[in-house]
Amino acid sequence: MRHPPKDLLHSVLVQSVDDPMQWQIISFWSSYEAYQAAEANNQTDTCIQLFCAAGSTPTRRGYRVSHRFSRI
């Protein structure tokens, strides 16, 4: 991603070990409101385009972080 939205904090592409054809992009935003604003301005379409270019039909799901652990 060359020009990520300013409120996108972290994004990872993960592949299923059990089903190597299954991929997910997990993104962390500064707030839900920031995500909604980026989506309204079509700034979240880059991830969708990656899946479409690979011949997949992407879906979106929203989750809230309930707990977090970071090793420093």
Side-chain angles (χ1 to χ4, degrees):
M1 203 179 268
R2 290 185 181 184
H3 304 287
K6 69 180 182 92
D7 291 305
L8 177 61
L9 302 176
H10 188 80
S11 194
V12 293
L13 176 64
V14 296
Q15 182 181 24
S16 170
V17 174
D18 300 324
D19 181 3
M21 295 301 293
Q22 185 175 0
W23 293 82
Q24 289 186 358
I25 295 175
I26 302 170
S27 298
F28 293 87
W29 292 80
S30 61
S31 69
Y32 183 66
E33 293 77 19
Y35 167 76
Q36 287 180 311
E39 189 174 43
N41 292 322
N42 296 324
Q43 293 177 322
T44 59
D45 287 349
T46 302
C47 297
I48 297 263
Q49 292 168 4
L50 290 173
F51 280 98
C52 291
S56 178
T57 303
T59 58
R60 286 188 177 167
R61 291 187 176 92
Y63 296 89
R64 295 190 192 281
V65 175
S66 62
H67 293 83
R68 182 177 173 204
F69 169 81
S70 294
R71 185 178 306 272
I72 298 177

